[in-house]
């Protein structure tokens, strides 16, 4: 059952669907018009700016027929049709009241319990089958990481992984980088040392949002990988001590990398990153790249350090980890704003060689949305 009324001299409408009422302002509706003078029929882009909509805009007439709503906007005298399903999908009233640290509905946080159902796909399947690719990308959106198996053991195979959804983000480390033991390493990643779970490049702003690590050789003993859900870490910290969650989200940490003489990357961002409305959008954690924290007031510094210590303990808690060993032709991909990755130390005879590169989630989510829309169309 649909019903619609005009209120306060046309300042807003109320759309009632199955007993639930949603209000929409005249200016919002006018701004979201889909007529050909407002939006390009070719590409959907907006042809006008807000200044082209009169400030005193109100709705002078309303007519509901079926699931189409015809609104007349004054003083323009412009009649525009709205699809009520679109309006319901884009309702903003009542707005959600959510606690700081909320995550979007597509995100499912996890701990070591995910070990029995690690998101994984077959290399050839995701390359040749749109459904397999869609499900694999949806897993990355949900869990923040996924593995890929049975890929080619060849130089730059990781580029084929990026080609599945997006574009390489080139950095000072190159379009890709070799992760293996080096003489005079410019980064501790290029040694056989174990690496505590971390996010990459927190000293960069913006950080690369995707990292791919692709195995070409793993005959050395050790070097197992491990991933931890930074969002679950933040949730646990909040559940334990709200103050500690707050201090890490409300103050900036500082990170720096100056491991080779041509580079001095520095950033000032929080370890727990929230959107203005409290959505948890990222974590930054990397013991190797931490620099002096100078943006926390004196009175809060000890609390900050207690929170930072606890965050590290939660990250290192074995109950939080999903671990695996990469064999040649296997890789994993992380959402680098969410999932931390680690490796155990390795040594002795044999070799360990990974190739890594960065990419970004914007293209990944775009690809996923396109594949989901195509599936929807096919189902109709
Ligand atoms: N490498 C692998 O963020 C970091 O410094 C971790 C990055 C050198 C590109 C290592
Ligand atoms: C890295 C890294 C892990 C590994 O290169 O950023 O964390 O498995 N490497 O070598
Ligand atoms: Zn790393």
């Amino acid at each position: 059952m649909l019903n619609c009324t005009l209120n306060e001299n046309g300042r807003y409408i109320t759309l009632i669907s199955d007993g639930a009422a949603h209000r929409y302002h005249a200016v919002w509706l006018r701004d979201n018009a889909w007529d050909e003078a407002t939006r390009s029929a070719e590409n959907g882009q907006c042809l006008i700016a807000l200044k082209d909509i009169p400030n005193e805009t109100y709705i002078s007439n309303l007519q509901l027929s079926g699931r189409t709503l015809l609104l007349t906007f004054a003083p323009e005298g412009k009649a525009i049709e709205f699809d009520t399903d679109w309006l319901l999908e884009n309702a903003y009233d009542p707005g959600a009241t959510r606690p700081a640290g909320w995550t979007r509905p597509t995100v499912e946080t996890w701990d070591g319990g995910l070990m029995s159902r690690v998101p994984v796909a077959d290399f050839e399947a995701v390359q040749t089958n749109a459904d397999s690719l869609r499900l694999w990308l949806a897993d990355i959106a949900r869990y923040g990481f996924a593995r890929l198996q049975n890929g080619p053991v060849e130089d730059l195979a990781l580029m084929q992984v990026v080609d599945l959804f997006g574009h390489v983000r080139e950095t000072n480390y190159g379009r890709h980088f070799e992760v293996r033991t080096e003489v005079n390493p410019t980064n501790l990643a290029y040694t056989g040392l174990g690496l505590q779970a971390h996010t990459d490049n927190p000293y960069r702003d913006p950080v690369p949002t995707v990292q791919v690590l692709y195995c070409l050789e793993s005959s050395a003993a050790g070097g197992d990988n491990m991933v931890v859900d930074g969002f679950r870490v933040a949730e646990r910290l909040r559940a334990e001590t709200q103050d500690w969650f707050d201090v890490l989200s409300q103050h900036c940490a500082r990170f720096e990398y100056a491991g080779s003489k041509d580079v001095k990357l520095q950033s000032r961002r929080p370890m727990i990153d929230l959107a203005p409305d409290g959505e948890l959008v990222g974590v930054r954690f990397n013991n190797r790249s931490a620099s002096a924290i100078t943006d926390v007031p004196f009175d809060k510094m000890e609390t900050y350090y207690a929170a930072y210590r606890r965050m590290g303990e939660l990250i290192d808690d074995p109950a939080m980890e999903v671990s695996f060993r990469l064999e040649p032709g296997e890789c994993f991909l992380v959402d680098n704003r969410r999932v931390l990755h680690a490796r155990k130390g390795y040594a002795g005879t044999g070799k360990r060689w990974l190739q890594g590169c960065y990419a970004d989630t914007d293209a990944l989510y775009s690809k996923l949305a396109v594949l989901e829309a195509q599936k929807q169309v096919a189902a109709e």
Side-chain angles (χ1 to χ4, degrees), residues 60-71:
S60 57
N61 194 45
L62 168 162
Q63 207 183 311
L64 181 65
S65 49
R67 301 196 75 82
T68 303
L69 182 63
L70 183 68
L71 299 178

Side-chain angles (χ1 to χ4, degrees), residues 99-102 234 238 242 245-246 248-250 269-284:
W102 62 273
R238 183 184 60 177
Q242 180 77 44
F245 176 88
D246 291 342
L248 293 184
S249 59
Q250 291 168 6
R269 299 294 301 163
M271 293 198 202
I272 297 177
D273 205 352
L274 304 179
D277 61 357
E279 185 196 356
L280 178 56
V281 290
V283 297
R284 279 184 196 73

Side-chain angles (χ1 to χ4, degrees), residues 106 133-144 364 368 372:
T106 45
L133 179 58
R134 176 178 53 78
L135 293 169
W136 188 66
L137 296 177
D139 272 350
I140 295 168
R142 179 164 299 280
Y143 303 111
L364 190 153
L368 175 58
E372 282 177 342

Side-chain angles (χ1 to χ4, degrees), residues 66-326:
R67 301 196 75 82
T68 303
L69 182 63
L70 183 68
L71 299 178
T72 307
F73 292 89
E76 288 176 282
K78 204 176 164 65
I80 294 165
E81 278 188 357
F82 289 85
D83 172 357
T84 53
D85 290 328
W86 185 88
L87 288 175
L88 293 170
E89 275 162 32
N90 290 278
Y92 58 90
D93 171 47
T97 43
R98 294 173 281 213
W102 62 273
T103 52
R104 58 186 63 197
T106 45
V107 164
E108 183 182 324
T109 66
W110 49 267
D111 59 17
L114 192 68
M115 201 63 191
S116 57
R117 49 187 187 100
V118 172
V120 58
D122 179 74
F123 195 95
E124 202 189 310
V126 294
Q127 270 192 332
T128 55
N129 181 302
D131 266 344
S132 305
L133 179 58
R134 176 178 53 78
L135 293 169
W136 188 66
L137 296 177
D139 272 350
I140 295 168
R142 179 164 299 280
Y143 303 111
F145 83 103
R147 299 180 59 185
L148 211 47
Q149 289 175 323
N150 307 316
V153 185
E154 64 187 40
D155 186 34
L156 298 181
L158 83 172
M159 294 300 165
Q160 296 179 47
V161 178
V162 175
D163 285 343
L164 292 168
F165 63 84
H167 317 279
V168 165
R169 166 126 53 124
E170 190 169 349
T171 68
N172 57 295
Y173 298 113
R175 273 182 62 75
H176 85 285
F177 38 85
E178 313 291 343
V179 183
R180 58 186 167 195
T181 301
E182 285 182 357
V183 193
N184 301 324
T186 54
N187 192 298
L188 292 172
Y190 304 151
T191 67
L193 293 173
L195 303 175
Q196 186 193 18
H198 60 280
T199 60
D200 259 40
N201 293 205
Y203 40 76
R204 215 180 282 287
D205 187 6
V207 298
T209 51
V210 168
Q211 183 181 28
V212 180
L213 283 170
Y214 197 105
C215 179
L216 293 176
E217 254 189 279
S218 65
S219 54
D224 292 22
N225 283 105
M226 184 189 111
V227 286
V228 173
D229 186 358
F231 282 7
R232 175 60 72 85
V233 169
E235 287 175 346
R236 274 188 70 185
L237 188 69
R238 183 184 60 177
E240 285 180 9
T241 315
Q242 180 77 44
D243 270 4
W244 289 358
F245 176 88
D246 291 342
V247 81
L248 293 184
S249 59
Q250 291 168 6
H251 299 280
C252 284
R254 292 205 183 205
F255 299 97
E256 178 171 311
Y257 171 79
S260 61
K261 61 179 184 317
D262 53 335
V263 185
K264 193 173 174 73
L265 287 157
Q266 295 170 305
S267 76
R268 193 185 85 85
R269 299 294 301 163
M271 293 198 202
I272 297 177
D273 205 352
L274 304 179
D277 61 357
E279 185 196 356
L280 178 56
V281 290
V283 297
R284 279 184 196 73
F285 192 90
N286 190 321
N287 66 305
R288 285 163 285 130
S289 302
S291 69
I293 296 163
T294 53
D295 301 286
V296 178
F298 182 85
D299 289 343
K300 289 200 174 156
M301 191 56 93
E302 285 175 326
T303 306
Y304 189 94
Y305 264 91
Y308 179 17
R309 178 182 298 277
R310 185 62 188 148
M311 185 172 176
E313 285 169 1
L314 291 172
I315 286 167
D316 293 341
D317 178 355
M320 297 291 276
E321 75 181 54
V322 163
S323 57
F324 45 84
R325 188 183 158 78
L326 290 180

